Amino acid sequence: YTRMLTGTVERAAGAGYGSLSLVCTPDCAHPALRDLARAHRLEMASQRGADLGERMCHALGTALAQRPRAVLIGTDAPSLGRDDLVAARAALADGAEAVFVPAEDGGYLLAGFSQRVDPALFSGIEWGSNRVWRQTRERLEALSVRWRALPTRWDVDRPADVDRWLREEGLTDPGV
């Protein structure tokens, strides 16, 4: 996980975003998190909310209170590249109110917003199911949000996904 987290931070740092935040759970006290934050000058905050939707909405809302656009990415998405992050920023700068990178398993890896985020978009979603992206699209349409979807990618949720990640990284031993 530390290797995947470090890769995520390095890709985000290389995408040219002005500031980066690491939103942690249950808190930010782990030495690996602190070392990573120090090395990349990351802001750190603890996740807040009862479920994934509330936690994402809070993180995005906090970021949007400080800047006009915010992009939230998972740390379990090694397929999400620097170009995806640049494309997400460009979509928001070009007028999209929201941008997403769907996941092969029916969720999504990235959610970006311009100006504000509506909490209704994240409530009542079947988090962890293969219906997340479909339900999110339905909400986006119902709320009349101007949104864009970038190319679908994969994330690491199950043991087979770990094996895929290791193969793609050229690793054969998780301890490497």
Side-chain angles (χ1 to χ4, degrees), residues 56 100-103 105-111 122 127 132-133 136 155:
M56 289 192 310
F100 291 84
V101 172
D105 64 8
Y108 52 86
L109 314 177
L110 175 152
F122 296 102
W127 301 110
V132 170
W133 178 228
T136 300
D155 60 358

Side-chain angles (χ1 to χ4, degrees), residues 64-101:
L64 289 168
Q66 301 168 19
R67 57 193 60 89
R69 292 178 288 279
V71 173
L72 180 70
I73 61 175
T75 58
D76 64 345
S79 69
L80 192 67
R82 177 193 166 281
D83 291 345
D84 297 310
L85 299 171
V86 170
R89 185 179 63 226
L92 295 172
D94 289 343
E97 294 174 301
V99 61
F100 291 84
V101 172

Side-chain angles (χ1 to χ4, degrees), residues 54-69:
E54 285 183 18
R55 292 190 298 270
M56 289 192 310
C57 190
H58 181 267
L60 287 161
T62 298
L64 289 168
Q66 301 168 19
R67 57 193 60 89
R69 292 178 288 279

